[in-house]
């Protein structure tokens, strides 16, 4: 797909992508100063916005950041795993010694009285090795699952978004400033989600919610806005809520497919993912996003609740 933004009054061709990794945003989503500072002077908004993405890939590398974050989140896991291995080695050595003693006792009738005691010690060794092997296996699986989740979050943070015709940013650039809601599905699904979100526009923006619509069918969902004078303010807010456009479609598709496989969801199913302020996935589901639930669960990003409830985004999936 090519990056296209179609307008009723004009058509703009996308310029060459410029990656800007030094963007800094003020923490003011509600009054939209984040967008005004990036864009400079406000530009005339059109009646239609078409969401699409480019197929051009970008280098993807697995960063060691995931391992560091894993150590921070579970600082004593390595210590536990070390002791599990030590106990397994100790139990194995004790079992080998007990086995040799058992063979000697069975071959010497004068030591037959020692057999029950040796068997008891051997059973303890076997039991200890089995228990600590199970604990190590469980801990290692938890470590691998956590690393896989953190790696997916790292991949998500590197995905690119078009802020306007001149700015390409990464998802990571909005960390701490916006709660992204990613929609992935055919064009009719995205258009229906767009309509369902209208009654909650003001509340969603107050909570720093921004929508990232991704059309999986390659279509170009056109969002229609009421350009009447009495709806001018609401239309501006609607466009800000839905202004982000994913670019590099192949990378977005790959990441979404991995998420669906892990959740055992059909690749054809339309889904949504809700991110926390720290960029981690807080919720997901099949079908349209529960806009009313987002309004009820998420605290505003400014005002008397700003900062106090920043961590109340929900548990991480």
């Amino acid at each position: 797909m090519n990056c296209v933004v179609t307008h009723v009054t004009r058509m703009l061709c996308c310029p060459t992508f410029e990656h800007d990794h030094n963007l800094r945003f003020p923490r003011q989503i509600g009054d939209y100063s984040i967008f005004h500072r990036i864009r400079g002077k406000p530009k005339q908004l059109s009646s239609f916005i078409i969401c699409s993405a480019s197929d051009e890939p970008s280098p993807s590398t697995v960063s060691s950041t995931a391992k560091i974050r894993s150590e921070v989140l579970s600082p004593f896991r390595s210590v536990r795993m070390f002791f599990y291995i030590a106990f397994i080695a100790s139990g194995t050595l004790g079992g080998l010694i007990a086995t040799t003693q058992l063979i000697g006792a069975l071959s010497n009738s004068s030591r037959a009285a020692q057999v029950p005691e040796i068997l008891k010690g051997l059973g303890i060794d076997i039991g200890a090795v089995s228990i600590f092997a199970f604990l190590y296996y469980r801990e290692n699986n938890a470590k691998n699952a956590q690393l896989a989740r953190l790696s997916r979050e790292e991949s998500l943070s590197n995905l690119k978004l078009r802020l306007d015709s001149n700015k390409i940013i990464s998802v990571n650039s909005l960390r701490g400033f916006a709660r992204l809601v990613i929609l992935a599905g055919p064009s009719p699904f995205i258009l229906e989600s767009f309509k369902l979100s209208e009654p909650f526009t003001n509340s969603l923006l107050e909570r720093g919610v921004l929508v990232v619509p991704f059309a999986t069918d390659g279509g170009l969902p056109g969002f229609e806005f009421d350009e009447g004078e009495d709806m001018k303010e609401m239309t501006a807010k609607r466009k800000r809520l839905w202004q982000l456009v994913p670019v590099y479609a192949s990378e977005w598709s790959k990441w979404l497919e991995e998420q669906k496989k892990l959740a055992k969801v059909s690749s054809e199913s339309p889904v949504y993912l809700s991110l926390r302020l720290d960029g981690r996935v807080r919720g997901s589901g099949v079908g349209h996003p529960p806009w009313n639930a987002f309004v009820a669960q998420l605290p505003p990003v400014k005002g008397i609740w700003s900062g106090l409830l920043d961590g109340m985004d929900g548990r991480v999936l």
Side-chain angles (χ1 to χ4, degrees):
M1 295 181 288
N2 295 323
C3 284
V4 181
V5 179
T6 304
H7 299 267
V8 172
T9 59
R10 57 182 177 167
M11 178 177 292
L12 299 177
C13 296
C14 297
T16 303
F17 292 151
E18 297 178 1
H19 294 274
D20 184 354
H21 298 287
N22 297 317
L23 294 175
R24 294 294 183 270
F25 300 99
R27 194 185 179 95
Q28 298 181 18
I29 295 292
D31 60 4
Y32 321 120
S33 63
I34 176 177
F35 308 111
H36 293 164
R37 293 195 186 183
I38 294 176
R39 292 179 172 180
K41 296 182 180 180
K43 297 180 181 179
Q44 180 180 358
L45 297 174
S46 60
S47 298
F48 289 84
I49 296 179
I50 303 299
C51 297
S52 62
S54 167
D55 285 321
E56 181 182 350
S58 66
S60 57
T61 57
V62 178
S63 174
S64 61
T65 305
K67 294 183 179 180
I68 297 174
R69 291 178 62 192
S70 177
E71 291 294 333
V72 171
L73 293 173
S74 303
F76 299 109
R77 173 172 287 152
S78 298
V79 177
R80 291 196 300 268
M81 294 181 72
F82 170 79
F83 280 109
Y84 292 158
I85 293 176
F87 292 148
I88 291 172
S90 177
T92 301
L93 180 60
L96 291 175
I97 294 173
T99 300
T100 58
Q101 291 177 344
L102 179 63
I103 294 174
L106 292 175
S107 61
N108 188 347
S109 58
S110 63
R111 298 177 56 189
Q114 300 178 3
V115 172
E117 189 67 24
I118 295 174
L119 287 174
K120 180 180 178 181
L122 181 61
I124 292 174
D125 290 334
I126 294 175
V129 169
S130 300
I131 291 173
F132 287 113
F134 169 75
L135 292 175
Y136 180 86
Y137 173 79
R138 187 179 65 173
E139 197 76 53
N140 190 57
N141 284 347
K143 177 183 177 181
N144 292 336
Q146 185 181 61
L147 284 173
R149 175 173 56 80
L150 293 175
S151 296
R152 292 193 303 273
E153 291 176 356
E154 194 71 20
S155 299
L156 172 61
S157 69
N158 293 326
L159 295 177
K160 303 300 179 183
L161 296 168
R162 177 174 295 281
L163 187 61
D164 59 19
S165 59
N166 297 317
K167 291 293 182 181
I168 300 294
I169 63 174
S170 64
V171 172
N172 185 56
S173 299
L174 296 174
R175 182 176 292 176
F177 305 102
R179 298 181 173 104
L180 300 184
V181 175
I182 301 171
L183 303 182
S187 299
F189 163 76
I190 293 178
L191 289 174
E192 184 64 22
S193 297
F194 172 78
K195 295 176 182 177
L196 293 174
S197 70
E198 184 172 4
F200 308 99
T201 299
N202 288 327
S203 298
L204 290 172
L205 287 174
E206 289 174 358
R207 287 155 177 77
V209 174
L210 298 176
V211 184
V212 181
F214 181 74
T216 56
D217 58 358
L220 303 176
F223 299 147
E224 298 186 16
F225 300 97
D226 188 346
E227 296 292 347
E229 189 65 27
D230 56 337
M231 294 295 293
K232 186 175 181 180
E233 182 179 354
M234 176 58 68
T235 297
K237 292 180 179 180
R238 296 282 289 157
K239 290 177 179 178
R240 291 187 179 103
L241 179 64
W242 289 82
Q243 69 174 316
L244 295 178
V245 180
V247 296
Y248 305 152
S250 59
E251 295 185 1
W252 279 93
S253 296
K254 180 180 178 181
W255 188 85
L256 288 167
E257 285 300 320
E258 290 176 355
Q259 289 292 111
K260 288 182 178 181
K261 287 180 181 178
L262 290 171
K264 298 180 180 180
V265 175
S266 170
S267 59
E268 303 299 326
S269 300
V271 297
Y272 72 89
L273 293 97
S274 173
L275 306 188
R276 294 159 40 115
L277 271 177
D278 59 9
R280 304 170 73 180
V281 178
R282 68 173 293 273
S284 61
V286 177
H288 300 291
W291 303 115
N292 57 334
F294 294 159
V295 172
Q297 296 170 3
L298 299 175
V301 295
K302 69 173 187 176
I304 62 174
W305 302 111
S306 179
L308 180 62
L309 300 178
D310 283 353
M312 305 297 290
D313 284 16
R315 67 183 182 89
V316 177
L317 295 184

